Amino acid sequence: MFTFLLAFHSLWRWAVLFSLLYSIYRGFVRKQKNLPFTKADNSLRHWTATIAHLQLAIGFVLYFKSPTVDYFLNNFGEAIKSTDTLFFGLLHILLMTVAVVLITIGSALAKRKAADADKFKTMARWFLAGLIIILVAVPWPGSPIAARELFRPF
């Protein structure tokens, strides 16, 4: 089960990244062109946040089942000396949680705005802030902190 969830978590990150990129692009472009905030825009806002929430939920399950995190929590003094263990034991989960909170706030605030331009601006800015944190917290291949492959096999 752990291996499947880890592979799915690795694959689902692409859905998170693409939905955020598309939402941010659409938000900025449609605001600039002064277009109406349609049902499709509202669905995109909602589903982008939902995709991010699902990723975070899977991440929390993995966090509490991970042998790396178990080692980190039970051997903190020794574990913080390893950047890989420190990254997955503390930084990754903390930054990803903050990113999803920002995405959630942006989604909720955009939903409540009256003017269409404000909806687009709010969604795009908050989602961009979340995306920047996500890009920092993903263990990209070649990262000096914690490198992982782009796709984990199932």
Side-chain angles (χ1 to χ4, degrees), residues 15 23 28 43 49 55 82-83 96 108 124 128 137 143 152-153:
S23 295
F28 282 127
S43 290
Q55 179 74 335
S82 164
T83 57
M96 292 301 190
L128 180 60
S143 169
R152 285 186 177 265

Side-chain angles (χ1 to χ4, degrees), residues 16 20 49 52-53 56 91-106 126-137:
V16 173
L20 279 170
H53 285 133
L56 184 64
L91 297 176
H92 184 68
I93 193 76
L94 178 67
L95 291 173
M96 292 301 190
T97 302
V98 168
V100 174
V101 166
L102 292 175
I103 292 164
T104 304
I105 291 169
W126 285 87
F127 284 14
L128 180 60
L131 176 63
I132 290 168
I133 294 172
I134 287 170
L135 292 174
V136 168

Side-chain angles (χ1 to χ4, degrees), residues 11 24 38 40 52 58 63 65 70-71 84 86 101 125 129-130 151:
L11 181 63
I24 293 163
T38 65
I58 294 167
Y63 183 81
K65 296 292 183 187
D70 186 51
Y71 174 77
D84 192 67
L86 178 62
V101 166
R125 286 182 176 178
F151 296 99

Side-chain angles (χ1 to χ4, degrees), residues 15-114:
V16 173
L17 290 172
F18 289 131
S19 66
L20 279 170
L21 287 170
Y22 184 59
S23 295
I24 293 163
Y25 167 78
R26 190 167 170 106
F28 282 127
V29 167
R30 291 181 66 84
K31 181 205 174 291
Q32 186 178 43
K33 292 182 178 180
N34 205 22
L35 295 171
F37 195 87
T38 65
K39 250 185 169 177
D41 296 313
N42 193 50
S43 290
L44 179 62
R45 173 203 56 79
H46 169 77
W47 282 107
T48 298
T50 301
I51 289 167
H53 285 133
L54 178 59
Q55 179 74 335
L56 184 64
I58 294 167
F60 274 121
V61 171
L62 289 170
Y63 183 81
F64 291 108
K65 296 292 183 187
S66 169
T68 303
V69 173
D70 186 51
Y71 174 77
F72 175 79
L73 296 174
N74 292 317
N75 304 289
F76 184 77
E78 194 64 32
I80 61 171
K81 296 175 185 172
S82 164
T83 57
D84 192 67
T85 307
L86 178 62
F87 179 80
F88 286 107
L90 181 63
L91 297 176
H92 184 68
I93 193 76
L94 178 67
L95 291 173
M96 292 301 190
T97 302
V98 168
V100 174
V101 166
L102 292 175
I103 292 164
T104 304
I105 291 169
S107 177
L109 290 175
K111 181 180 179 180
R112 288 161 179 77
K113 295 288 183 184

